[in-house]
Amino acid sequence: MNRFYITTPIYYVNDVPHIGHAYTTIACDVLARWYRLNDQDVFFLTGTDEHGTKIAQAAAAHNKEPQEYCDHISALFQESWKQLDISNDGFIRTTTKDHETAVQAFLKQLWEKGVIFKASYSGKYCVQCERFYTDDELIGGVCPDHRIKPEEQSEDNYFFRLSHFREDLLAAITQEDHPQHFKIFPQERRNEVIGKLKQEINDVSISRATLDWGIPLPWDRSQTTYVWIDALTNYLSAIGYPNNKEKLDHWWPANLHLMAKDILWFHAVIWPALLMATGLPLPKKIFAHGFFTVNGQKMSKSMGNVVRPAELIQEYGVDGTRYLLLSAFPFGQDGDFTKDLMKTGYNAALANDLGNLISRALTMVEKYCNAQSPAGEKSDLFNQVIDDLKPIGKSLDHLAFHTALSTLLIAVDRVNRFIETKAPWKMAKTVPQEVPTVLYEVVVSLKAIVFYLWPFMPGTAQTIWMQLGETKDLVTTAKKFLESPSLALFNNQQPIQKGTPLFPRK
Ligand code: MSP
């Protein structure tokens, strides 16, 4: 069995979870579920990033001790992911003892390799980004991301010689046969990274002299670890680094680090360079998806336009939310969410296409087959639907969730058209004995669709599965089906259960 280690960024606890965080986390969840169905040994990691100036300030603003504040917000993230049916295998918090030990061990390795030096530094620091900016990176003197003026900071820091790794990084990214080759997607993002690496790059500060809320450096306890170095190490600390070598060797290197483009440099350049310096293998693939706005604006606490996952769940349900986030625009691209877009998407795909199909099918089975899943032996429709669905695997390998979902709807549409063409309600008047055979084709085709629906909408898939009269375990059957599709996997002549509509129109 192949193993697959997949990660989200760990989210800052200066704010409660919003749909931006949910976007990446749901995408990872779909992949984790899909690879589990395809017999891979998956470890799906997410977590919270809890140190640094930004967090210390947020805690103070809430009149809380930093740890108490972190515990509170981290728990909210965990709750949100539960609500959204996220199937993460691990949840890492950077304020745990194990993580602290790992960060110190990692830093010690870097120190011993001679890639750390001390220098006094003056620069402009954006607390919201938790990073220094050079003058030419600022736009009109303000941070390009948060539009705020960075603070002038001047202190003695320890630095990592990132610049020494520039050529090795370029080679590792661009040469497929390089022993440390890793991939960056999408192509445009990869090109941007390569473009920057072709020029001079700055060394990076790895410590802060003036911040208490962080992990002390092992060789100089007057300084704390720069929050990004602390945070990136989570990908190792969560899988046993430094003490559990067996676990670490099993899971590392990560197969996929997923994040938005805002933090690609940290993942595609700084992180691989740190790993190179310590002699650890590099992650295999880094994918930076787009950044979305809401009603044309960047979500921000100060704008008061931050959308919480719970708001969407209340309107569209858990699976409606999962569907809408991933179907709105291609995954690598930026996009804009509007209320209208969501409502239209929900009504068209979920209420009309999928929801209506299930409800029609169940109503007809109830009426013409005595509310029992019909028996049968063969089905052309089933074979066609399988052919429709197959490209979803490739789409998911390329993180093309949007395409995968359109493909799923093609299969749904095929079954809808089959029903229209056969018109079982007419057949019931002329050739009633043939109706169960037609409905058999519909029911088995829907079950095939359910398997592909499950990674995206696990709750809905489970409900449809049971409504169609299945008592077998969905996941086990799906695994067998994906290995070798067969009609023999299904239960026939079992009572169906017609419930309330899955996706009431909005
Ligand atoms: N703590 C760092 C990451 C450390 S990883 C070692 C951080 N945290 S964050 O809370 O700011 O999360 C940033 C990530 O949240 C983005 O990279 C992306 O995955 C997700 N998103 C937040 N807002 C988003 C959008 N508006 N659109 C798309 N993704 C969004 O950076």
Side-chain angles (χ1 to χ4, degrees):
M1 202 193 259
N2 286 331
R3 58 111 183 129
F4 197 86
Y5 177 27
I6 176 172
T7 68
T8 72
I10 50 171
Y11 304 110
Y12 286 128
V13 292
N14 66 315
D15 192 11
V16 297
H18 60 61
I19 59 170
H21 308 128
Y23 186 68
T24 319
T25 312
I26 293 169
C28 272
D29 188 56
V30 171
L31 293 178
R33 287 175 181 273
W34 172 248
Y35 290 124
R36 283 188 205 117
L37 283 191
N38 285 278
D39 216 24
Q40 306 240 11
D41 181 16
V42 173
F43 191 78
F44 165 20
L45 177 70
T46 186
T48 41
D49 189 353
E50 308 186 6
H51 287 129
T53 316
K54 177 153 81 168
I55 310 301
Q57 288 179 351
H62 287 83
N63 279 323
K64 286 202 170 139
E65 283 302 315
Q67 189 62 60
E68 184 195 357
Y69 173 77
C70 291
D71 290 348
H72 170 63
I73 306 280
S74 181
L76 294 181
F77 272 91
Q78 295 179 57
E79 258 169 51
S80 266
W81 301 156
K82 233 192 195 137
Q83 266 185 353
L84 280 167
D85 239 342
I86 302 299
S87 63
N88 53 304
D89 301 289
F91 190 96
I92 179 89
R93 295 187 56 192
T94 56
T95 54
T96 52
K97 190 76 204 138
D98 282 353
H99 177 74
E100 184 171 319
T101 308
V103 170
Q104 292 191 325
F106 191 70
L107 287 168
K108 201 158 160 276
Q109 265 192 292
L110 293 170
W111 179 250
E112 283 163 2
K113 297 276 180 188
V115 291
I116 305 285
F117 63 97
K118 197 172 185 183
S120 68
Y121 189 75
S122 305
K124 296 187 168 125
Y125 195 80
C126 172
V127 171
Q128 290 310 312
C129 297
E130 291 283 14
R131 57 164 285 196
F132 282 106
Y133 278 100
T134 56
D135 280 332
D136 52 348
E137 285 172 326
L138 298 173
I139 299 177
V142 299
C143 148
D145 245 9
H146 299 94
R147 311 272 160 195
I148 47 179
K149 201 167 164 218
E151 293 166 12
E152 282 284 353
Q153 287 190 351
S154 174
E155 53 181 44
D156 271 1
N157 283 171
Y158 290 93
F159 282 77
F160 167 59
R161 291 192 194 281
L162 181 64
S163 54
H164 280 201
F165 294 88
R166 190 179 66 85
E167 283 178 7
D168 283 346
L169 282 169
L170 257 182
I173 295 169
T174 53
Q175 296 167 14
E176 298 237 344
D177 56 352
H178 191 280
Q180 289 169 301
H181 178 59
F182 66 100
K183 301 201 180 298
I184 303 172
F185 289 102
Q187 201 66 26
E188 308 92 272
R189 299 279 98 79
R190 174 179 182 269
N191 292 343
E192 280 167 19
V193 170
I194 293 174
K196 282 199 201 167
L197 281 176
K198 284 188 171 158
Q199 296 158 22
E200 285 299 295
I201 58 171
N202 294 327
D203 293 330
V204 282
S205 162
I206 59 140
S207 71
R208 313 300 318 280
T210 49
L211 170 77
D212 293 337
W213 186 239
I215 300 175
L217 295 185
W219 62 85
D220 178 351
R221 301 188 73 84
S222 73
Q223 300 238 350
T224 52
T225 311
Y226 170 43
V227 62
W228 264 101
I229 307 297
D230 171 347
L232 288 163
T233 312
N234 92 86
Y235 301 129
L236 293 176
S237 64
I239 50 162
Y241 176 88
N243 298 323
N244 189 340
K245 200 162 160 13
E246 201 183 322
K247 190 170 176 191
L248 182 70
D249 286 348
H250 181 67
W251 294 111
W252 193 256
N255 297 75
L256 176 63
H257 288 318
L258 188 62
M259 81 267 352
K261 61 183 189 181
D262 56 336
I263 54 176
L264 178 60
W265 185 253
F266 291 98
H267 284 85
V269 174
I270 299 177
W271 180 228
L274 290 167
L275 292 163
M276 274 180 174
T278 54
L280 280 160
L282 310 192
K284 295 194 175 311
K285 182 162 153 179
I286 293 164
F287 192 108
H289 61 71
F291 218 79
F292 62 78
T293 47
V294 172
N295 297 317
Q297 283 174 328
K298 192 173 167 182
M299 277 190 289
S300 84
K301 261 202 296 192
S302 53
M303 295 280 296
N305 64 346
V306 175
V307 183
R308 310 291 176 206
E311 294 171 42
L312 283 191
I313 293 176
Q314 191 170 11
E315 185 70 11
Y316 298 112
V318 170
D319 284 345
T321 301
R322 292 173 62 109
Y323 172 84
L324 290 173
L325 286 178
L326 290 188
S327 63
F329 41 81
F331 194 60
Q333 294 173 21
D334 295 344
D336 185 42
F337 276 109
T338 61
K339 278 214 157 109
D340 275 356
L341 183 77
M342 294 206 206
K343 192 169 155 184
T344 321
Y346 173 92
N347 281 334
L350 300 185
N352 293 355
D353 289 357
L354 179 63
N356 195 33
L357 170 61
I358 302 298
S359 145
R360 271 175 114 181
L362 290 168
T363 305
M364 289 190 293
V365 172
E366 187 173 53
K367 193 160 171 192
Y368 305 121
C369 307
N370 218 4
Q372 294 229 322
S373 53
E377 273 147 26
K378 63 177 194 55
S379 167
D380 287 342
L381 179 68
F382 175 74
N383 292 331
Q384 288 158 354
V385 161
I386 293 177
D387 285 345
D388 288 339
L389 293 168
K390 272 207 179 117
I392 289 179
K394 272 254 151 16
S395 297
L396 289 179
D397 285 340
H398 295 110
L399 286 86
F401 301 100
H402 172 262
T403 316
L405 285 168
S406 325
T407 308
L408 198 83
L409 289 175
I410 291 175
V412 166
D413 190 47
R414 184 187 291 282
V415 183
N416 259 326
R417 277 186 288 119
F418 177 84
I419 296 176
E420 284 305 320
T421 315
K422 294 283 179 185
W425 50 92
K426 284 190 193 148
M427 291 172 69
K429 292 184 189 136
T430 50
V431 278
Q433 70 286 2
E434 287 175 24
V435 174
T437 317
V438 166
L439 292 180
Y440 171 76
E441 297 211 55
V442 169
V443 168
V444 291
S445 301
L446 289 179
K447 288 177 183 173
I449 290 175
V450 160
F451 298 142
Y452 285 84
L453 189 65
W454 184 78
F456 294 95
M457 306 170 82
T460 303
Q462 182 64 45
T463 304
I464 300 174
W465 181 245
M466 293 190 325
Q467 286 181 333
L468 293 173
E470 280 294 343
T471 48
K472 290 186 198 168
D473 182 59
L474 166 54
V475 171
T476 317
T477 319
K479 283 183 180 171
K480 289 186 189 156
F481 178 90
L482 290 168
E483 222 181 281
S484 158
S486 157
L487 288 168
L489 291 168
F490 302 127
N491 275 339
N492 300 327
Q493 302 203 286
Q494 294 295 319
I496 58 138
Q497 288 160 34
K498 204 170 168 245
T500 48
L502 293 169
F503 301 105
R505 268 191 79 83
K506 298 283 168 193

